[in-house]
Amino acid sequence: PSTGLKGLTAGQKLRDYRMVWAGSDDAICHVGTGLHNVPLARLEEVFLTLGKKRIEVKEVIRILGPFPNVRNTLKGDVALPKSSSTASKMKIEYDSMIDGTGKQILAGSETNKRALDLDVLFADENAIVCAVPSDEGGVGDQGSKVLFFAAEESLNVKLEMLRVA
């Protein structure tokens, strides 16, 4: 899996994925903004774009009532440190966010950057299966720490259908 992941993150081709399954809300919040937890908001979709040592996470949030959908985009760097365990580690450091109004918010200083790790259990051009790292290891109770992303062939079409393109 590590060679597949290295090719995906460092390759010159940008690859799009859609989150098709999450073990828990905490796992989603680990990689996303967590803004879908505000009242009257519901997470509609999460998309992930990897390549050129960069990552982009797009959250589409539906607001209850006569309001448009909102897209938040997190952007950052991806690194793959050497790991002795069976799962590959993926270090993500977000350095900017584009909020639902289209305003870009830069981290500015190192202290404002958000860093997180993921244990990548499987990765190729068709799917990425990862888990939120924990002291106990593993995938949590009934897979509560697992995120499953499947390749998305037509990201722009999906974003247009969700009215957030």
Side-chain angles (χ1 to χ4, degrees):
S2 61
T3 57
L5 182 61
K6 184 175 234 165
L8 294 175
T9 57
Q12 291 304 304
K13 182 176 185 200
L14 295 176
R15 297 185 188 273
D16 299 319
Y17 297 88
R18 182 173 68 92
M19 184 172 56
V20 293
W21 191 81
S24 67
D25 188 59
D26 288 341
I28 297 169
C29 291
H30 184 73
V31 295
T33 64
L35 292 174
H36 64 277
N37 287 325
V38 299
L40 306 178
R42 192 185 101 185
L43 185 65
E44 195 70 21
E45 293 278 5
V46 176
F47 298 99
L48 180 81
T49 302
L50 275 177
K52 301 180 183 177
K53 297 186 179 178
R54 295 284 292 167
I55 188 169
E56 207 170 279
V57 175
K58 295 177 181 77
E59 295 177 325
V60 179
I61 299 172
R62 181 176 301 265
I63 309 295
L64 189 68
F67 305 105
N69 290 348
V70 174
R71 180 177 88 187
N72 296 314
T73 305
L74 294 165
K75 296 181 178 186
D77 296 320
V78 177
L80 302 175
K82 297 279 186 243
S83 173
S84 58
S85 68
T86 56
S88 298
K89 288 269 188 219
M90 182 163 64
K91 289 192 165 298
I92 300 169
E93 186 175 71
Y94 294 130
D95 52 27
S96 71
M97 176 182 161
I98 300 172
D99 67 13
T101 65
K103 180 181 172 197
Q104 184 168 13
I105 303 161
L106 298 173
S109 65
E110 285 295 317
T111 56
N112 290 338
K113 290 184 179 181
R114 180 171 160 219
L116 60 109
D117 292 344
L118 282 175
D119 291 336
V120 180
L121 308 172
F122 175 84
D124 72 7
E125 60 274 357
N126 298 313
I128 298 174
V129 180
C130 51
V132 176
S134 65
D135 294 336
E136 307 88 52
V139 295
D141 186 36
Q142 297 183 346
S144 63
K145 298 183 181 309
V146 175
L147 295 168
F148 176 49
F149 295 90
E152 179 56 58
E153 298 301 319
S154 51
L155 176 60
N156 290 332
V157 172
K158 284 273 198 279
L159 292 174
E160 284 176 20
M161 287 172 51
L162 292 163
R163 299 183 311 274
V164 293

